[in-house]
Amino acid sequence: MKRFLFLMYHTVLFLITVSFSTAGFAEDWLQWGGPNGDFTLGNKEKTEWALGNPKLLWERPLGEGYSSILYRGNSLFTTYSEGDSEVVVSLDASTGKNQWEYRYKRTFWKDMRLYYGPGPNATPLIVDDKIISVGIAGQMVCLNLTSGKLIWKRDLPSEFGRLKRVEEYGYSGSPIRYKDMVIVHVGGDQHSVISIDPNTGKDIWKSGPGGVSYAQASVIELAGQDQFIYFTPEGVNGLDPLTGKLLWHFVIPFSNGNHLTPIVKCDDNHIFVSSQFNRGGGRLLKITNTKNGMDVKEVWFDKKKRGSCWTLIRIGEYIYGSTGGHNGSHLSAFNWKTGKFAWKQDGYHMAQCLYENDTLIFLDREGKLSVAKVSPEKITVLSTMQATEDPSWTLPTLVSSKLYIRDRKKILALSLSKDH
């Protein structure tokens, strides 16, 4: 444990302080992507972090998986796998000790390859007094948030099937709350996406048939209408989240259909979508509402803006985060209107980023935890330390001055307060 504290890539012998918002920190993390679902935190009242000497509060083993960490009422929630079981767990945020756990047997189907472990990949969703989780093999459970007792469960592949394709990674899309419903990827022979009542688990609507890819979906307002936007192996779709009706589809040439990068809203009519591998790249799409329905057009395409399983954050006219490919990437900033790079920074591959007050806090694949000041003009890395092991693909969770991170072996809590 002691080896963790100051195994620095850049030794920091003085106190680094950066202003951050306490308003954003006070909010619960009920979904993947943080309080706002877009990896950004608030920007009202400010406090200061001691980023040069974070204190290890606790560290404990945790099983396999990439599920991010939710927070509510001084409790943490995440999922992991152990043996042939998947586990939804609640931890005391102050100590890391179990408050409850719910285990169920997980059975893989024959064409799953599990290149990067047995999952789970998706992050649960907290809805009122419930937590809803989708496992790598499609077992969906709804549990009481306080006790961990089962409220309802569903087996998505047995109900909906899976459109025939090679399944390297299984179910990866995290459930999303929209109004009084929860929207879930199923990628089935009859339905691609479903909406359910979180209280009963029963269907509200079911979309038409279609596959789903692995990138996290989003509900955003585009062209004057809320839309559920998600990747299929063939491209990107926009659905009406109230009915499941297909609004538009944009075809993306692909090598294997593994679209992994979350969709970025740029403004009220534009989104940035990115794919990886040989035929991948980044695209700016413009969506408009016409007399004949939604129209989608490609504004620009750049093969250098390929994306893998990392976060991208739009601030003003610029998008920050990793760009490149699965085997090599760099932190960058680029203008989403023109597609032109503002800067690139090597040394931080496949970074999972959070943003607050012109500052990025990010964990790269190798487990280096870093903080940097960013602007369209430059990046200034303030501190970097070795925190976890390769691969670290889980988005960090920040609550007040506490940072919670995990890899495929452990979970830990750091204090970033200058008063620790």
Side-chain angles (χ1 to χ4, degrees), residues 31-33 36-39 173-178 183 185 215-222 225-231 236-241 248 261-265 271-273 312:
Q31 61 184 344
W32 189 80
N36 304 315
D38 62 359
F39 324 112
S174 304
I176 292 179
R177 183 174 188 175
Y178 179 70
I183 305 176
H185 281 166
Q216 177 60 20
S218 298
V219 175
I220 57 180
E221 184 178 347
L222 279 176
Q225 178 177 344
D226 287 345
Q227 301 187 29
F228 178 80
I229 301 176
Y230 70 101
F231 276 105
V236 60
N237 283 358
L239 298 182
D240 183 340
W248 56 268
T261 311
I263 294 146
V264 182
K265 178 179 179 179
I271 57 173
F272 175 77
V273 298
L312 293 171

Side-chain angles (χ1 to χ4, degrees), residues 174-249:
S174 304
I176 292 179
R177 183 174 188 175
Y178 179 70
K179 299 187 182 297
D180 294 327
M181 65 184 78
V182 173
I183 305 176
V184 183
H185 281 166
V186 296
D189 300 331
Q190 301 299 321
H191 307 286
S192 179
V193 180
I194 64 170
S195 170
I196 62 173
D197 181 335
N199 297 309
T200 65
K202 294 182 178 180
D203 296 334
I204 297 174
W205 55 253
K206 294 180 280 190
S207 77
V212 293
S213 196
Y214 303 106
Q216 177 60 20
S218 298
V219 175
I220 57 180
E221 184 178 347
L222 279 176
Q225 178 177 344
D226 287 345
Q227 301 187 29
F228 178 80
I229 301 176
Y230 70 101
F231 276 105
T232 71
E234 299 79 20
V236 60
N237 283 358
L239 298 182
D240 183 340
L242 288 175
T243 65
K245 177 184 176 182
L246 180 65
L247 300 174
W248 56 268
H249 171 68

Side-chain angles (χ1 to χ4, degrees), residues 61-232:
L62 194 72
E64 291 261 17
Y66 303 105
S67 171
S68 62
I69 303 159
L70 305 182
Y71 175 90
R72 185 172 176 181
N74 202 43
S75 294
L76 306 177
F77 304 88
T78 192
T79 64
Y80 66 94
S81 63
E82 187 174 71
D84 63 355
S85 295
E86 285 183 333
V87 186
V88 185
V89 65
S90 171
L91 309 177
D92 185 319
S94 299
T95 65
K97 294 181 179 179
N98 276 26
Q99 297 181 135
W100 58 256
E101 64 176 33
Y102 179 83
R103 291 175 176 261
Y104 58 90
K105 187 175 181 180
R106 174 249 300 118
T107 303
F108 300 123
W109 54 85
K110 63 180 181 179
D111 59 348
M112 291 184 70
R113 295 183 177 176
L114 305 178
Y115 287 140
Y116 298 102
N121 301 325
T123 294
L125 172 71
I126 294 175
V127 180
D128 302 325
D129 60 349
K130 296 172 286 296
I131 183 168
I132 299 171
S133 177
V134 178
I136 192 172
Q139 285 76 41
M140 182 165 60
V141 297
C142 177
L143 310 173
N144 180 277
L145 194 64
T146 303
S147 67
K149 291 183 177 180
L150 181 67
I151 299 173
W152 53 260
K153 63 180 179 180
R154 297 182 66 168
D155 189 302
L156 300 179
S158 66
E159 288 187 60
F160 299 102
R162 294 284 278 184
L163 287 177
K164 184 62 178 176
R165 60 166 297 193
V166 174
E167 285 290 353
E168 294 96 336
Y169 318 121
Y171 286 79
S172 298
S174 304
I176 292 179
R177 183 174 188 175
Y178 179 70
K179 299 187 182 297
D180 294 327
M181 65 184 78
V182 173
I183 305 176
V184 183
H185 281 166
V186 296
D189 300 331
Q190 301 299 321
H191 307 286
S192 179
V193 180
I194 64 170
S195 170
I196 62 173
D197 181 335
N199 297 309
T200 65
K202 294 182 178 180
D203 296 334
I204 297 174
W205 55 253
K206 294 180 280 190
S207 77
V212 293
S213 196
Y214 303 106
Q216 177 60 20
S218 298
V219 175
I220 57 180
E221 184 178 347
L222 279 176
Q225 178 177 344
D226 287 345
Q227 301 187 29
F228 178 80
I229 301 176
Y230 70 101
F231 276 105
T232 71

Side-chain angles (χ1 to χ4, degrees), residues 325-345:
H326 182 80
N327 295 321
S329 68
H330 39 250
L331 274 176
S332 67
F334 63 90
N335 186 303
W336 64 260
K337 292 184 176 180
T338 65
K340 293 183 178 179
F341 280 110
W343 50 258
K344 300 178 185 178
Q345 176 73 42

